[in-house]
Amino acid sequence: LRLKSTLALWLARMNQDHLYVNLEAFPSYFLKSEPGDKNLSDIFYHIKAAKGNLAIALESTVCNGSGGICHIPPMDNPGDLWELNDGENRILAETLLYWGRFSTIIADIEFNTSPRTLQWLEMASHVLVPFTAGYPDPILRMKSMLSSLPVAGTDKYRWVLCGADYHESLKDEFESLHSLPWLQELPQRFGALNPEKHALEQLKALL
């Protein structure tokens, strides 16, 4: 799970025109924000109150430059996320999709089989799945499950092999396999992320 969030943070760090949104009930990492800043819970309340102008509400929550990462602070508690129904979740996803404020939205979602997760997978331009060679069986089962979903054959899924280990046999299992040998889980507290040139080029290739 932390590897997933690590990749999402690096992708958000690439460009100030990228926005990181963590939609995990229990985020792996917390980016710096000021006390009193609005966060995702405020967005959820706005949606439930059917106030409209959700894009303006989103704009008011954006924090700039925490370690070079533009982001929306995570929710106050997981219950706020769990209380969203499928329709409200779709409103959030569609607003982010058509917002136009950022060129790329990096949505760090939980991976499960809930209808909300399926909505995110359906609406995403790309779904990036990082994994390590040490545990091939779970990732192959995940690949099999995702391949049964709609638009699975449209190059939506990008499989990202992380770490120095490389199993040649895995290459034959994926239509689109990317390798990031330098990518490892970030520590719980990390400083500014400064990608080297070769790493930046590899990250760009994922998008």
Side-chain angles (χ1 to χ4, degrees):
L1 294 179
R2 289 175 61 183
L3 187 63
K4 171 180 68 68
S5 294
T6 294
L7 177 58
L9 289 168
W10 277 106
L11 290 168
R13 175 63 183 87
M14 286 170 54
N15 195 313
Q16 286 288 300
D17 205 29
H18 293 183
L19 179 72
Y20 175 75
V21 183
N22 187 291
L23 291 157
E24 298 173 305
F26 301 98
S28 299
Y29 302 100
F30 288 89
L31 300 176
K32 183 179 179 181
S33 58
E34 297 299 325
D37 281 348
K38 293 184 177 180
N39 58 36
L40 268 179
S41 288
D42 295 288
I43 298 302
F44 298 159
Y45 298 153
H46 190 98
I47 294 172
K48 283 191 165 296
K51 293 181 177 180
N53 294 321
L54 183 56
I56 295 176
L58 283 168
E59 187 73 40
S60 70
T61 65
V62 173
C63 291
N64 294 302
S66 178
I69 297 172
C70 290
H71 68 285
I72 294 177
M75 66 205 78
D76 292 323
N77 64 73
D80 295 337
L81 174 66
W82 298 332
E83 289 175 2
L84 282 186
N85 62 40
D86 295 348
E88 291 163 344
N89 187 75
R90 181 169 287 276
I91 289 172
L92 173 61
E94 289 180 343
T95 304
L96 287 171
L97 182 63
Y98 299 112
W99 184 8
R101 166 70 165 78
F102 293 89
S103 66
T104 303
I105 305 292
I106 309 296
D108 189 358
I109 66 169
E110 293 185 331
F111 184 79
N112 52 46
T113 56
S114 74
R116 289 195 301 266
T117 297
L118 296 178
Q119 285 179 339
W120 289 108
L121 295 178
E122 172 195 344
M123 298 181 69
S125 299
H126 304 302
V127 178
L128 309 181
V129 186
F131 66 100
T132 60
Y135 301 94
D137 290 339
I139 203 69
L140 291 176
R141 288 196 295 270
M142 184 188 297
K143 176 179 178 291
S144 177
M145 186 273 288
L146 290 175
S147 67
S148 66
L149 299 177
V151 301
T154 60
D155 195 34
K156 176 187 287 280
Y157 299 107
R158 310 287 171 85
W159 303 90
V160 186
L161 181 57
C162 303
D165 293 337
Y166 188 86
H167 290 196
E168 190 65 31
S169 60
L170 283 173
K171 186 176 181 181
D172 298 331
E173 299 285 349
F174 299 92
E175 297 80 14
S176 178
L177 181 63
H178 300 259
S179 178
L180 298 181
W182 53 271
L183 188 69
Q184 297 180 342
E185 289 183 355
L186 289 168
Q188 198 66 44
R189 295 184 179 182
F190 62 91
L193 302 179
N194 297 304
E196 298 181 4
K197 184 177 180 180
H198 74 281
L200 189 60
E201 292 302 318
Q202 290 174 336
L203 291 170
K204 287 179 179 179
L206 297 176
L207 301 177

